[in-house]
Amino acid sequence: MKKIKIIRIIFSIFILALTLLFFFHKNIPGTAEHFYEKAAQFVINLQILPALLSLAFIYITAIVCITVISGRVICSAFCPLGIYNDLISRLGAKIRKNNFHYNQKINFLKYIILSAVIILSILGISAYTGLLEPFSIFGKISAYFFVPIFSNVENAFATVINKISGYSISHEDHSIDNLHYAIGFFFFIIITGLAFFRGRIFCYALCPSGAIFSLISKISLFNIRINKSKCVSCGKCESVCPSNAITENKITSECVLCLNCAGTCAKDAIKYRFAIPQIKNTKSSGEKTIIEGRKTFIKSALIITAGILTPRILASSGASKKIRAVPPGSVSIRNFKNSCTGCSLCVSRCPTGVLSPSLFENGIDSIMQPFMDYKKAYCLFECTSCSSVCPSGAIKKLKVKDKKSVKIGEADFSPDRCIVKIENKACGACAEICPTHAIKMNSPLEGHPFPFIEPELCIGCGACEYTCPAKPKAFIVKPLEIHGKAMLSAESSFPIEEDNSEEFPF
Amino acid sequence: MNRRDFLKTSLRTAGSIFISSSVFSGRIFSAEEAGHNYYDLAAVRNAEPERLFDEAIKALGGMSRFVKKGKTVLIKPNIGWNIEPQYAATTNPNLIKRIILHCKEAGASKIYVNDHPIFDWKTCYKISGIEKAAKDAGAIIVPSGSESYYHSTTIRRAKALKEAKLHEIFMSADTVINVPVLKHHFGSKMTCGLKNLIGTTWDMNAFHSAGLHESIADIATVRKINLTVVDAYCIVKRNGPRGGDFSDLLKLKSLIASPDIVAVDTAAAKLFGINPDAVDHIKFAADFKLGQSDLSKLRIKRIVL
């Protein structure tokens, strides 16, 4: 079993690295998807809560089947946060000589969190799900904490390499501000600290996905099982179990198949093997605890629901609700708010950095959900990277061809702010950058050309707002609550004109 | 200090004063090339881009006139847009490839290719076909996606843009070959050699707020542009600078090249079909004495193939 354990660890480190790499590199539109990107996307699609939110039936079925057949493999080998927890807990065990003791009560907490998450999803406030859901937490740590560090290290490395071999690695600036860096650091410290001191406490006590897997894995065909005839009750396995899953020679459904116990058992009594699962009635452990448990469950669920509803009520009662644009594929601001868990994968993959992390900018009920910040950049016409990576269905899949006519907002032109009018300077930056030719310039007989807009062609990409040199901006994009469809600028099919004259005009 | 040292020093000083004065008065090649019979400007038409360039550079005295053995070269195409080369919004990749090969032949130690596109640089380099062309020919692609490559520089002679963040490779390359593509432009009427230099700076929006035409001329004073090659094989006649519609294009199959950036833009304006006097940045650049805007004063080689 020790060999399998080592293979398991190496494989999970590989999966973790793959996912991190996906966060580290922005998408380059127009290039073919690399194999590692496809693999990383597959791993991300295997995250159960985002899959449930996006109603991705194929993946949900796959996840359930995998767990029913082989136990909680996803937790140990495909959940990036779980793997990270595992590695840190291993480090903690090495350094602190952690000894784990079974604690039944704490395992119950995750079911309360799961029910809170279900209530949240029904109410359509997934932003708060994202504060509890493992992939979203992992995403926040990666996008806000690891990416800036990685980017700085890579740039420093590039500087050294470039001294020798000249521009073989390029510098890339990241777009994470200090506030979000601090938020990422906050999550990083909490997760790392918990794992270092308490093993996989996040997985067995807090994780709502863990709660789902725990329920399913009760009927798993293959699982870790103790051979009672060989076991001498030495208790070694319990002390090395970071998942709080071993008690009284029994393995509970908290087991994520880390294989620590199997590796440590001197009698070779613990094996990963097949058995028809039997769901036992555990009344023997006392009906009292169950009733008490139910009471705590109902109380806690009520408290959490109330805590979650408060921001929703506050947000809806807020007087001036300023809406921000959400990326193409979101269908509507409502859908985006309902489904986005703020994993920030789209923020990391966005090539221009227009998708920006938020805090409360979009309302209290959409904490940390990204939005389109046209002050920083604009949405690339040919790019669909956010829609192709979103695991939770907040940004639905779009083909590049269809994306080009998705209208997420409409640019509003204030002629009185335009520098052509105010300062009598030649400009035209807006018409130059507009990808749909919605902004055009008239050609007056005297003076400089002046912009005008054909709103039906505008898709709200924000290029004009971003590029406008006027202060305040002459172009401001007004986001649409429900995304529409823009007219496509008519492309004439004339052949290219040719001039074969044999003279020069000079 | 003995007499010999004194003589040496004074000779050196006189030499450097002479060189610097000739640089700033715009008479760049007069000293070393007095004996040669090079044309000041070459205009070629009716052939493919590679052939056009071969003929033009021959008329100007060969690439070795501009690129010295063991020196570095920066080729500055227009890679402003993420649009395929057939739309002619970016410099023709075949032309870039040919220029790189000529530089190699002249013995350049390193050949760099760089522009600061309006869109994501990696996308633009790729879609424009210039990345592949440059790499195939053995040039080094210089990234422009990070502000850390751009260093703040005071422009001493500037009238509008007193300070700009310029790409390190633009400042450090021994030779700069500017390869614009001739296009219509909403803001500056036309975009050619002078306008193309905007792509050496980080904050391109600063040009619009400082005054577009003035800033374009200002940036041209920063350093010597050794050679400007105008790609007029296919030009964007209307709705520039991006175009994106074949009906906006006009196939001229032409190329203009000259070490004099003002002369090249003047000729290009005429080829484009507008009066060079109506293009303010050409006028401002001529006022800086960056070149000759009166084409009748130049020796022009016109080649029709």
Side-chain angles (χ1 to χ4, degrees):
Chain A
M1 282 315 270
K2 212 156 196 181
K3 255 188 202 156
I4 302 180
K5 182 181 144 189
I6 290 166
I7 293 171
R8 202 276 303 164
I9 294 172
I10 292 171
F11 179 76
S12 12
I13 291 176
F14 169 75
I15 294 288
L16 179 68
L18 190 74
T19 329
L20 274 175
L21 201 65
F22 199 49
F23 272 92
F24 287 157
H25 286 124
K26 291 175 180 173
N27 184 32
I28 306 169
T31 55
E33 215 178 0
H34 201 275
F35 178 70
Y36 97 82
E37 293 176 312
K38 280 184 188 150
Q41 187 67 50
F42 177 71
V43 171
I44 287 160
N45 287 343
L46 281 182
Q47 309 304 314
I48 184 134
L49 275 174
L52 284 170
L53 276 169
S54 69
L55 300 176
F57 288 112
I58 299 171
Y59 284 103
I60 296 170
T61 322
I63 295 164
V64 172
C65 287
I66 292 172
T67 315
V68 166
I69 294 167
S70 53
R72 294 174 64 174
V73 199
I74 299 209
C75 295
S76 60
F78 291 100
C79 168
L81 194 74
I83 299 167
Y84 179 74
N85 267 318
D86 190 56
L87 296 178
I88 297 297
S89 110
R90 246 161 240 291
L91 199 71
K94 274 253 164 64
I95 296 170
R96 284 189 75 243
K97 309 255 175 294
N98 279 347
N99 261 333
F100 300 107
H101 297 289
Y102 185 71
N103 176 355
Q104 196 197 352
K105 272 187 188 162
I106 200 166
N107 283 347
F108 198 64
L109 189 57
K110 62 175 175 295
Y111 296 109
I112 300 175
I113 292 179
L114 174 65
S115 43
V117 162
I118 293 171
I119 297 168
L120 284 169
S121 310
I122 293 167
L123 290 173
I125 329 176
S126 296
Y128 285 85
T129 308
L131 301 179
L132 306 163
E133 195 270 321
F135 180 68
S136 305
I137 293 175
F138 177 77
K140 284 179 180 107
I141 296 175
S142 305
Y144 304 149
F145 183 64
F146 288 150
V147 166
I149 290 180
F150 179 78
S151 159
N152 290 342
V153 170
E154 196 186 29
N155 282 355
F157 184 65
T159 311
V160 176
I161 291 287
N162 292 347
K163 284 236 165 73
I164 308 160
S165 73
Y167 299 110
S168 47
I169 304 175
S170 62
H171 279 216
E172 296 296 334
D173 297 342
H174 65 83
S175 55
I176 303 300
D177 54 285
N178 289 337
L179 173 69
H180 286 89
Y181 184 70
I183 293 172
F185 181 68
F186 170 76
F187 277 105
F188 170 76
I189 281 292
I190 290 188
I191 294 294
T192 312
L194 282 177
F196 190 77
F197 292 105
R198 288 280 179 271
R200 295 184 70 158
I201 189 170
F202 179 85
C203 308
Y204 66 77
L206 303 171
C207 179
S209 306
I212 300 176
F213 284 121
S214 181
L215 290 173
I216 304 174
S217 76
K218 281 183 204 281
I219 54 159
S220 290
L221 300 174
F222 280 90
N223 221 332
I224 289 286
R225 292 190 167 97
I226 301 177
N227 187 343
K228 292 253 164 78
S229 58
K230 278 188 185 172
C231 175
V232 292
S233 301
C234 66
K236 246 189 193 168
C237 48
E238 184 184 337
S239 73
V240 294
C241 176
S243 298
N244 202 25
I246 305 181
T247 172
E248 297 163 9
N249 311 336
K250 197 185 83 193
I251 294 189
T252 69
S253 61
E254 272 68 42
C255 173
V256 294
L257 310 178
C258 74
L259 306 177
N260 277 4
C261 49
T264 201
C265 183
K267 296 286 169 194
D268 207 18
I270 305 179
K271 283 256 158 68
Y272 178 69
R273 61 183 172 84
F274 176 82
I276 300 292
Q278 297 166 331
I279 301 167
K280 272 185 229 150
N281 226 343
T282 47
K283 267 187 186 159
S284 55
S285 56
E287 213 150 283
K288 219 179 159 190
T289 35
I290 292 182
I291 293 169
E292 239 171 52
R294 264 185 214 149
K295 272 187 191 161
T296 0
F297 177 83
I298 294 167
K299 258 191 239 162
S300 324
L302 279 175
I303 292 170
I304 293 182
T305 317
I308 282 149
L309 278 179
T310 324
R312 180 65 183 273
I313 293 159
L314 282 176
S316 53
S317 65
S320 65
K321 216 170 104 193
K322 198 182 162 196
I323 58 165
R324 305 285 195 120
V326 291
S330 314
V331 184
S332 66
I333 291 180
R334 188 73 265 155
N335 172 63
F336 188 75
K337 278 195 173 175
N338 287 354
S339 308
C340 174
T341 59
C343 72
S344 306
L345 180 60
C346 54
V347 173
S348 291
R349 298 287 294 169
C350 178
T352 63
V354 64
L355 259 173
S356 301
S358 76
L359 196 55
F360 291 118
E361 287 95 328
N362 312 325
I364 299 173
D365 59 342
S366 52
I367 179 169
M368 302 205 75
Q369 287 180 340
F371 68 102
M372 309 288 272
D373 189 352
Y374 296 138
K375 280 186 198 71
K376 271 163 71 179
Y378 54 92
C379 185
L380 216 53
F381 193 45
E382 292 86 356
C383 170
T384 54
S385 59
C386 53
S387 85
S388 71
V389 297
C390 180
S392 72
I395 314 170
K396 299 203 164 30
K397 303 265 174 296
L398 273 181
K399 287 197 184 98
V400 176
K401 197 179 101 240
D402 301 329
K403 186 257 177 180
K404 287 180 175 174
S405 62
V406 171
K407 190 186 184 82
I408 63 169
E410 194 170 293
D412 188 37
F413 180 45
S414 319
D416 296 331
R417 292 175 177 175
C418 180
I419 64 164
V420 178
K421 189 168 181 177
I422 304 177
E423 300 178 36
N424 193 27
K425 281 175 180 163
C427 187
C430 47
E432 175 185 346
I433 205 164
C434 179
T436 63
H437 297 302
I439 303 174
K440 295 188 170 72
M441 304 291 276
N442 64 11
S443 330
L445 292 173
E446 256 177 55
H448 302 297
F450 195 72
F452 66 96
I453 180 163
E454 291 177 10
E456 63 273 15
L457 295 178
C458 176
I459 53 168
C461 70
C464 49
E465 179 173 338
Y466 166 74
T467 203
C468 179
K471 282 171 196 145
K473 305 256 181 194
F475 279 95
I476 304 272
V477 174
K478 296 257 169 352
L480 288 180
E481 285 270 7
I482 297 166
H483 291 176
K485 204 167 158 47
M487 238 170 63
L488 281 172
S489 138
E491 192 164 331
S492 49
S493 49
F494 290 114
I496 301 177
E497 236 179 292
E498 274 195 49
D499 179 355
N500 288 323
S501 109
E502 308 225 314
E503 276 169 5
F504 291 96
F506 49 84
Chain B
M1 187 189 277
N2 57 29
R3 197 186 300 164
R4 193 173 289 169
D5 278 346
F6 172 75
L7 275 174
K8 266 187 195 166
T9 322
S10 41
L11 270 175
R12 251 183 236 152
T13 322
S16 57
I17 288 172
F18 174 72
I19 289 167
S20 59
S21 64
S22 65
V23 165
F24 286 119
S25 64
R27 295 169 57 245
I28 295 161
F29 296 98
S30 50
E32 49 177 331
E33 287 157 7
H36 296 288
N37 245 343
Y38 298 140
Y39 287 99
D40 297 317
L41 187 142
V44 198
R45 71 181 302 172
N46 294 350
E48 291 305 295
E50 294 95 330
R51 174 95 195 280
L52 293 174
F53 182 71
D54 290 349
E55 296 294 332
I57 198 71
K58 205 163 80 190
L60 292 178
M63 196 50 113
S64 54
R65 178 180 161 196
F66 307 102
V67 175
K68 298 286 173 249
K69 235 189 177 68
K71 299 286 183 183
T72 59
V73 187
L74 167 66
I75 294 172
K76 164 67 184 75
N78 184 336
I79 325 179
W81 306 94
N82 49 346
I83 189 165
E84 290 77 9
Q86 63 266 30
Y87 287 97
T90 50
T91 307
N92 192 311
N94 296 337
L95 175 62
I96 296 296
K97 200 170 180 176
R98 195 59 158 204
I99 296 175
I100 294 169
L101 293 176
H102 274 274
C103 290
K104 257 186 157 173
E105 217 177 83
S109 65
K110 273 180 179 147
I111 305 157
Y112 299 103
V113 175
N114 174 264
D115 188 19
H116 187 194
I118 290 176
F119 291 96
D120 172 62
W121 75 274
K122 279 184 184 163
T123 317
C124 294
Y125 275 46
K126 192 151 267 165
I127 294 183
S128 66
I130 288 177
E131 179 173 345
K132 191 178 177 295
K135 277 188 177 160
D136 286 354
I140 300 165
I141 293 288
V142 182
S144 54
S146 167
E147 197 170 349
S148 56
Y149 294 118
Y150 294 82
H151 306 302
S152 217
T153 313
T154 321
I155 305 173
R156 276 189 304 113
R157 300 162 73 196
K159 289 198 174 118
L161 198 71
K162 300 276 180 206
E163 199 174 317
K165 284 198 151 184
L166 292 157
H167 200 289
E168 55 190 31
I169 198 72
F170 178 63
M171 300 307 283
S172 64
D174 296 319
T175 300
V176 171
I177 302 177
N178 183 19
V179 197
V181 54
L182 181 58
K183 290 187 292 181
H184 166 253
H185 193 283
F186 284 129
S188 59
K189 292 197 171 134
M190 68 159 213
T191 158
C192 197
L194 289 160
K195 172 77 173 60
N196 195 35
L197 296 176
I198 283 192
T200 61
T201 65
W202 175 251
D203 184 5
M204 297 184 283
N205 272 1
F207 282 78
H208 288 271
S209 38
L212 189 56
H213 287 290
E214 292 84 349
S215 310
I216 292 172
D218 289 344
I219 213 80
T221 66
V222 169
R223 67 155 289 162
K224 186 166 101 179
I225 309 298
N226 306 63
L227 175 65
T228 302
V229 183
V230 178
D231 170 17
Y233 183 77
C234 190
I235 68 169
V236 178
K237 202 64 182 141
R238 290 171 287 273
N239 295 324
R242 190 176 191 269
D245 198 327
F246 288 129
S247 66
D248 292 333
L249 304 184
L250 176 63
K251 215 173 216 171
L252 281 179
K253 294 190 178 178
S254 308
L255 183 140
I256 308 168
S258 167
D260 181 338
I261 192 165
V262 178
V264 126
D265 270 24
T266 311
K270 286 188 172 167
L271 191 65
F272 187 76
I274 54 174
N275 183 359
D277 299 334
V279 184
D280 287 344
H281 61 255
I282 300 181
K283 204 167 64 203
F284 294 138
D287 290 346
F288 277 132
K289 299 215 175 348
L290 293 173
Q292 182 56 264
S293 62
D294 185 355
L295 295 183
S296 62
K297 291 189 179 150
L298 296 173
R299 294 192 61 219
I300 299 179
K301 174 79 172 171
R302 296 172 183 84
I303 308 165
V304 179
L305 297 167

